[in-house]
Amino acid sequence: FPGDMYSHDGDADEPEWVKTEREQFVEFRDKNRDGKMDKEETKDWILPSDYDHAEAEARHLVYESDQNKDGKLSKEEIVEKYDLFVGSQATDFGEALVRHDEF
């Protein structure tokens, strides 16, 4: 995909992000080393089996909202970052905030 986002257009030096993507492809994504990503390799890249999306999103919400860094979210902290929660898949795009009186 870097070819879709970057073309050489006479540039001798590639940007660092292109080099990094190339390395990631060779080292991790192209598991069978055939120079392209098949269906399974693409699936493993997009939805890695060892990555818990819900846990990652929950950690992100706490990290971004926990102003006093006590590891807990108060009603005030959630309200302060309301826009973050409304846009979160962990709260079904804010539906949980509408359905629950405690929020």
Side-chain angles (χ1 to χ4, degrees):
F1 80 90
D4 293 334
M5 299 176 64
Y6 169 77
S7 82
H8 290 278
D9 290 336
D11 292 340
D13 296 327
E14 289 182 329
E16 193 60 37
W17 71 268
V18 174
K19 292 176 186 175
T20 301
E21 285 303 319
R22 235 180 260 292
E23 290 170 7
Q24 290 291 315
F25 177 81
V26 170
E27 291 179 32
F28 303 108
R29 295 187 187 132
D30 185 19
K31 295 176 181 175
N32 63 8
R33 305 286 189 240
D34 67 353
K36 57 188 174 195
M37 289 176 62
D38 62 26
K39 184 178 179 179
E40 285 303 311
E41 290 167 337
T42 303
K43 180 182 170 191
D44 288 344
W45 174 44
I46 295 172
L47 296 169
S49 59
D50 61 343
Y51 183 77
D52 186 337
H53 293 276
E55 181 179 337
E57 180 63 9
R59 288 180 189 269
H60 167 70
L61 290 172
V62 171
Y63 177 81
E64 293 294 330
S65 304
D66 187 15
Q67 294 173 348
N68 63 4
K69 303 300 179 200
D70 66 352
K72 302 174 189 173
L73 294 180
S74 67
K75 180 179 178 179
E76 292 77 21
E77 288 171 326
I78 292 171
V79 170
E80 180 70 27
K81 296 288 186 166
Y82 178 81
D83 58 327
L84 184 68
F85 283 85
V86 169
S88 172
Q89 291 181 0
T91 61
D92 287 332
F93 300 102
E95 287 296 317
L97 300 178
V98 176
R99 289 192 306 258
H100 295 278
D101 292 337
E102 66 269 22
F103 293 129

